[in-house]
Amino acid sequence: MSENTAAPAKPKGKKRLELDPRLAAYKGIWVFVEMERGQVHQVSWELLGEGRKLADILNVELGAVILGGSSDELGAAARSAFTYGADVAYIVADPILTDYRNEPYTKAMTDLVNKYQPEILLLGATTLGRDLAGSVATTLLTGLTADCTELAIDPDNRGLLATRPTFGGSLLCTIQTLNYRPQMATIRPRVMAMPEATPECRGRIVSENLQMQEDDIIAKVLEFIPDDAQEQAQLAYADIIVAGGRGMGKAENFRLIWDLAAVLGAEVGGSRPVTHAGWLPADRQIGQSGKTVRPKLYIAAGISGAIQHRVGMEASDVIIAINNDPNAPIFDFATYGIVGDAVQILPVLTDALRSRLAVNRRAG
């Protein structure tokens, strides 16, 4: 092709995505309220808080979907859902749903979606939620964005903008599944803020039946064996976390992390390279491929602040970063930064805090 006949360059800018008119009937935002043995997982309330914001932008109802074996337990969960922002609760009570099994839960959820047609469906990225989300999305032939860190609404087309890390946590990408309904996303616990409950709020309950018999289900529940996790890290709901990274130098130096945590009554965490190196057990990893945390105070010692780690802890109320590299990414979003060797700074910090706490106890 000659130089004179070359096609002109396309203008740069955002491509406008148009909604398929056949999907215009889908309205409303739903949150799956996860229950196990009568207890609601806290991520459900976190998602209702986020769902309320999205529903207000779209001017639609916020619905809570609650599945289980006891109508009394589901009714109590529905009343709690109203206090966290839900306008309506869709409940399916059936003995078959007493314990989670993928097949009946998928049947109950997809039947509800096909009947009431929500435009957005949010689930917690828990073990149960991830299992259910994948099978529901597959059955409904719709899109699913997993492990999101941020949700928003595209003002041009009412589409869900779901942001998540990609390429091993090195980048953030925003995904739209515009011409599919419902638009589905999973969000890990503690990514979204816990909303304030409004006890006087009320809503309506819509009850449906499960169109399924026990004989139709292959998987059977033979016994419930509780998971004894008392010795494992409880990072997700810790108020104070002291975390170490590769900048600590070697495994032996992590005793400085543990010493400071003991003084503060804190949990201990670490970055992915640290757990991969065996300096900390895997259940203490913080980041996209580990735990997501939201403490009141997060002390990061020797952590550079790569995106993979950042998405797991940036929602902390106060972040104190200690790093000998003044250009480390963590200083871009830390509340307070200390440039220096964490191995030298931590013992001094620990002693100072121990002395201050002792004075406060004597004064109290």
Side-chain angles (χ1 to χ4, degrees):
M1 180 179 290
S2 68
E3 186 174 282
N4 292 333
T5 58
K10 292 183 179 180
K12 295 182 179 180
K14 178 182 175 183
K15 181 181 178 181
R16 183 178 177 85
L17 301 175
E18 298 292 343
L19 177 65
D20 187 329
R22 294 171 297 178
L23 302 177
Y26 285 78
K27 298 290 183 184
I29 295 176
W30 283 10
V31 170
F32 171 63
V33 176
E34 180 178 329
M35 290 186 66
E36 281 197 285
R37 311 195 78 76
Q39 299 297 314
V40 176
H41 198 297
Q42 185 170 314
V43 71
S44 304
W45 308 142
E46 295 166 1
L47 293 186
L48 280 174
E50 190 68 15
R52 182 71 268 165
K53 299 174 189 176
L54 302 179
D56 290 343
I57 294 172
L58 293 173
N59 194 27
V60 296
E61 284 191 326
L62 174 63
V65 180
I66 314 174
L67 313 177
S70 167
S71 57
D72 290 340
E73 290 179 352
L74 268 59
R79 291 188 290 274
S80 295
F82 298 145
T83 70
Y84 289 112
D87 299 303
V88 55
Y90 299 91
I91 67 174
V92 182
D94 192 292
I96 292 175
L97 300 171
T98 298
D99 293 294
Y100 175 75
R101 288 176 288 176
N102 180 273
E103 192 175 358
Y105 268 65
T106 298
K107 171 68 172 171
M109 180 68 81
T110 54
D111 284 353
L112 287 173
V113 169
N114 287 328
K115 182 172 182 177
Y116 294 101
Q117 298 185 320
E119 54 193 309
I120 293 172
L121 173 58
L122 307 177
L123 302 91
T126 60
T127 301
L128 188 158
R130 285 170 169 153
D131 184 68
L132 180 61
S135 60
V136 168
T138 301
T139 303
L140 295 173
L141 301 178
T142 190
L144 168 64
T145 307
D147 283 358
C148 298
T149 59
E150 184 179 351
L151 300 174
I153 299 297
D154 189 326
D156 293 333
N157 53 41
R158 295 172 59 91
L160 178 67
L161 298 170
T163 301
R164 72 177 308 277
T166 187
F167 291 109
S170 60
L171 295 173
L172 291 173
C173 65
T174 299
I175 298 171
Q176 275 191 289
T177 53
L178 184 65
N179 278 325
Y180 298 89
R181 288 294 184 273
Q183 302 162 96
M184 292 182 60
T186 62
I187 300 90
R188 292 201 294 181
R190 303 294 279 171
V191 169
M192 304 302 179
M194 181 71 179
E196 292 289 335
T198 308
E200 64 272 17
C201 286
R202 300 289 184 270
R204 70 183 193 280
I205 294 178
V206 177
S207 297
E208 293 289 342
N209 296 319
L210 177 64
Q211 303 299 320
M212 201 172 205
Q213 302 297 321
E214 180 63 43
D215 291 342
D216 300 329
I217 305 169
I218 296 174
K220 305 298 180 184
V221 178
L222 302 180
E223 183 182 2
F224 173 75
I225 303 174
D227 180 20
D228 185 5
Q230 293 182 353
E231 300 303 319
Q232 294 183 3
Q234 303 297 319
L235 288 168
Y237 300 100
D239 285 334
I240 304 174
I241 295 174
V242 182
R246 205 161 32 187
M248 292 301 297
K250 56 185 178 180
E252 289 77 8
N253 290 336
F254 261 74
R255 63 178 176 77
L256 304 175
I257 299 288
W258 288 98
D259 289 346
L260 177 56
V263 169
L264 295 174
E267 278 282 5
V268 170
S271 60
R272 181 169 62 178
V274 162
T275 58
H276 283 194
W279 297 3
L280 282 179
D283 65 318
R284 294 189 178 276
Q285 180 181 330
I286 296 170
Q288 174 62 18
S289 53
K291 299 289 195 306
T292 300
V293 298
R294 202 183 187 98
K296 296 176 181 177
L297 173 62
Y298 189 90
I299 300 176
I303 295 175
S304 65
I307 288 178
Q308 201 279 341
H309 187 79
R310 177 175 179 171
V311 299
M313 47 67 75
E314 66 178 336
S316 305
D317 291 348
V318 175
I319 299 171
I320 298 176
I322 306 170
N323 200 292
N324 58 12
D325 179 5
N327 298 313
I330 198 165
F331 290 128
D332 294 336
F333 58 93
T335 313
Y336 304 102
I338 302 173
V339 178
D341 187 350
V343 175
Q344 296 179 3
I345 292 171
L346 284 177
V348 178
L349 181 61
T350 300
D351 290 342
L353 288 170
R354 185 183 290 114
S355 299
R356 175 60 63 87
L357 291 172
V359 170
N360 291 344
R361 282 194 292 268
R362 288 195 296 270

